[in-house]
Amino acid sequence: MDDASPRPPAAARPAPGGPATDPDAPRPAPLRFYGTTWVDHSGGYALRRAGLALGALGAAAAGAAVLVLAYQGLTIAAVGGLVNLLVLAAFALCSALAFVRTWSGYLRRPEGDDPVASSQGLRFIGFLGVLLAYAARTLVEAPGEQLHRAEYERAVARHERRRTTRTGNPAARRRSSRRRR
């Protein structure tokens, strides 16, 4: 049998794990650089993860080189040992905090009104920590995949419970129980 019909684009195809006939079924949320391939690890998922890990490590190395040049500029300017120490401590502390906040953001939803905006300056200064957390998490899975997978599975289970409990006509059940009396 010759199937000459073109395949629908990825966005129009039903999500893996979700019924194709149910338009109310939950759809997985796309992840940056991965789309919805994190659901079934298709479409070059492993190659994409490896490339993004190498890219993040390369960006971290380039950022570290820029920071070394900036530190050498401070040394040449002879601003003093205290200023050099403060700058070094600030970048180290901000990078460590940014690493921890980024890593924990991949595992659970941040609390508060807008936690990303409140730590934007910290993440900007500690960009090395953000890049290293991204690279390390990419070696394990797509960053945020664990969080998105748990939310998606909860949504699918909730949808299935709603769908199975609503089958049949409840009015017909009530009438049949009245007739038995």
Side-chain angles (χ1 to χ4, degrees), residues 147-165:
L147 176 66
H148 281 75
R149 186 173 300 284
E151 290 174 350
Y152 177 61
E153 287 173 355
R154 278 194 305 266
V156 167
R158 195 170 39 244
H159 176 73
E160 288 299 317
R161 277 195 312 268
R162 275 192 318 226
R163 212 175 109 231
T164 56
T165 58

Side-chain angles (χ1 to χ4, degrees), residues 71 81-97 125:
Y71 184 77
L82 181 62
V83 173
N84 286 344
L85 181 65
L86 286 174
V87 167
L88 188 62
F91 273 104
L93 183 65
C94 287
S95 290
L97 287 173
I125 294 171

Side-chain angles (χ1 to χ4, degrees), residues 11 16 23 27 48 54 62-63 69 71 76 92 95 132 144 163 176:
R27 302 282 183 242
R48 196 174 305 157
L54 288 175
L69 289 175
Y71 184 77
I76 292 170
S95 290
L132 291 175
R163 212 175 109 231
S176 65

Side-chain angles (χ1 to χ4, degrees), residues 2-3 15-16 19 28 30-31 41 47 53 57 71-72 77 88 106 119 125 136 148-149 161 164 166-167 178:
D2 186 22
D3 186 25
L31 291 175
H41 296 185
L47 185 62
L57 286 174
Y71 184 77
Q72 288 175 350
L88 188 62
Y106 293 140
S119 65
I125 294 171
H148 281 75
R149 186 173 300 284
R161 277 195 312 268
T164 56
R166 300 177 113 200
T167 58
R178 287 182 199 160

Side-chain angles (χ1 to χ4, degrees), residues 169-181:
N169 185 354
R173 272 186 259 144
R174 275 188 252 138
R175 272 189 259 146
S176 65
S177 64
R178 287 182 199 160
R179 290 180 186 166
R180 290 184 199 164
R181 291 184 193 176

Side-chain angles (χ1 to χ4, degrees), residues 2-10 12-14:
D2 186 22
D3 186 25
S5 63
R7 291 185 67 191
R13 273 185 251 141

Side-chain angles (χ1 to χ4, degrees), residues 16 27-32 34-43 45 48 141-153:
R27 302 282 183 242
L31 291 175
R32 179 180 291 161
Y34 294 94
T36 57
T37 62
W38 60 268
V39 175
D40 58 356
H41 296 185
S42 63
Y45 172 83
R48 196 174 305 157
E141 65 181 4
E145 178 180 344
Q146 180 181 5
L147 176 66
H148 281 75
R149 186 173 300 284
E151 290 174 350
Y152 177 61
E153 287 173 355

